[in-house]
Amino acid sequence: MFGLVLAIGLVVDDAIVVVEGVQRHIEEGLRPKDAARRAMEELSGPVIGIALVLSAVFVPTVFIPGITGRLYQQFALTIAISVVLSAFNALTLSPALGALLLRPKKESRGPLRRFFDWFNRIFGRATEGYVRLSGGLIRKGALALAGTRNFWYCRDRLCPLPAIQLPAR
């Protein structure tokens, strides 16, 4: 069951990357068929590489002996087969469907456009503020940990535990 859950994430990932690549080229002005061809020129190598690497990681676990090996064998085969099917899907079906179904965005009109424009402006400002704050904290890492009052032992020495405590009522 865990193998299937993990496989779903791996399987969907390749197709999403391909569809996003096709959409990006459509937004740059290419026709959908040309966009699918260009995206596959760029992405077929990485998709094949990911499938080969993941298969190379999981296939050898099939050969683990014993009862533990039996458990890993089912897990490894599930992942390896799903990765190969995902790569096949990403290399064949996803670009074909992208070329058929994806179209350039049209400028939207109507009452919701103002709301979405407002939301995108606020979201953009919040993102810029978060990026500035994160960059400042990274540059001044010592100040970020200065408010830390909790300590714990790691390998026989005191290490700061970055945690925030809320005041008691």
Coordinates of all heavy atoms in Angstrom, one line a residue, residues 107-119:
E107 N -7.7 37.0 -22.3 CA -7.8 38.0 -21.3 C -9.2 37.9 -20.7 O -10.2 38.0 -21.5 CB -7.6 39.4 -21.9 CG -7.3 40.5 -20.9 CD -6.0 40.2 -20.1 OE1 -5.0 39.7 -20.6 OE2 -6.0 40.5 -18.9
S108 N -9.3 37.7 -19.4 CA -10.7 37.5 -18.8 C -11.3 38.9 -18.6 O -10.7 39.9 -18.4 CB -10.5 36.8 -17.5 OG -9.8 37.5 -16.6
R109 N -12.7 38.8 -18.6 CA -13.5 40.0 -18.3 C -14.6 39.6 -17.4 O -14.8 38.4 -17.2 CB -14.1 40.5 -19.6 CG -13.1 41.0 -20.6 CD -13.8 41.5 -21.9 NE -12.7 41.8 -22.9 CZ -12.9 41.5 -24.1 NH1 -14.0 41.1 -24.6 NH2 -11.9 41.8 -25.0
G110 N -15.2 40.6 -16.8 CA -16.3 40.3 -15.9 C -16.1 40.7 -14.5 O -15.1 41.4 -14.2
P111 N -17.0 40.5 -13.7 CA -17.0 41.0 -12.3 C -15.9 40.4 -11.5 O -15.4 41.0 -10.5 CB -18.4 40.7 -11.7 CG -18.9 39.5 -12.5 CD -18.3 39.7 -13.9
L112 N -15.5 39.2 -11.7 CA -14.4 38.5 -10.9 C -13.0 39.0 -11.3 O -12.1 38.8 -10.5 CB -14.5 37.0 -11.1 CG -15.7 36.3 -10.4 CD1 -15.7 34.8 -10.7 CD2 -15.6 36.6 -8.9
R113 N -12.9 39.6 -12.4 CA -11.5 40.0 -12.8 C -10.9 41.0 -11.8 O -9.7 40.9 -11.5 CB -11.6 40.6 -14.2 CG -10.2 41.1 -14.6 CD -10.1 41.5 -16.0 NE -8.7 41.8 -16.3 CZ -8.4 42.6 -17.3 NH1 -9.3 43.1 -18.1 NH2 -7.1 42.8 -17.5
R114 N -11.7 42.0 -11.4 CA -11.2 43.0 -10.4 C -10.8 42.3 -9.1 O -9.7 42.6 -8.5 CB -12.2 44.0 -10.1 CG -12.3 45.1 -11.2 CD -13.1 46.2 -10.7 NE -14.4 45.8 -10.1 CZ -15.4 46.6 -9.8 NH1 -15.3 47.8 -10.0 NH2 -16.5 46.1 -9.3
F115 N -11.6 41.3 -8.7 CA -11.2 40.6 -7.5 C -9.9 39.8 -7.7 O -9.0 39.9 -6.8 CB -12.3 39.6 -7.1 CG -11.9 38.6 -6.0 CD1 -11.8 39.1 -4.7 CD2 -11.5 37.3 -6.3 CE1 -11.3 38.2 -3.7 CE2 -11.1 36.4 -5.3 CZ -11.0 36.9 -4.0
F116 N -9.7 39.1 -8.8 CA -8.5 38.3 -9.0 C -7.3 39.3 -9.2 O -6.2 38.9 -8.8 CB -8.7 37.4 -10.2 CG -9.6 36.3 -10.0 CD1 -10.6 36.0 -10.8 CD2 -9.4 35.5 -8.9 CE1 -11.5 34.9 -10.6 CE2 -10.2 34.4 -8.6 CZ -11.3 34.1 -9.5
D117 N -7.5 40.4 -9.9 CA -6.4 41.4 -10.0 C -6.0 41.9 -8.6 O -4.8 41.9 -8.3 CB -6.8 42.6 -10.8 CG -6.9 42.2 -12.3 OD1 -6.4 41.1 -12.7 OD2 -7.5 42.9 -13.1
W118 N -7.0 42.2 -7.7 CA -6.6 42.6 -6.4 C -5.9 41.5 -5.6 O -4.9 41.8 -4.9 CB -7.9 43.0 -5.7 CG -7.8 43.3 -4.2 CD1 -7.3 44.4 -3.6 CD2 -8.0 42.3 -3.1 NE1 -7.3 44.3 -2.2 CE2 -7.7 43.0 -1.9 CE3 -8.5 41.0 -3.1 CZ2 -7.8 42.4 -0.7 CZ3 -8.6 40.4 -1.9 CH2 -8.3 41.1 -0.7
F119 N -6.4 40.3 -5.7 CA -5.8 39.2 -5.0 C -4.4 38.9 -5.5 O -3.5 38.7 -4.6 CB -6.7 37.9 -5.2 CG -6.1 36.7 -4.5 CD1 -6.3 36.5 -3.2 CD2 -5.3 35.8 -5.2 CE1 -5.8 35.4 -2.6 CE2 -4.7 34.7 -4.6 CZ -5.0 34.5 -3.3

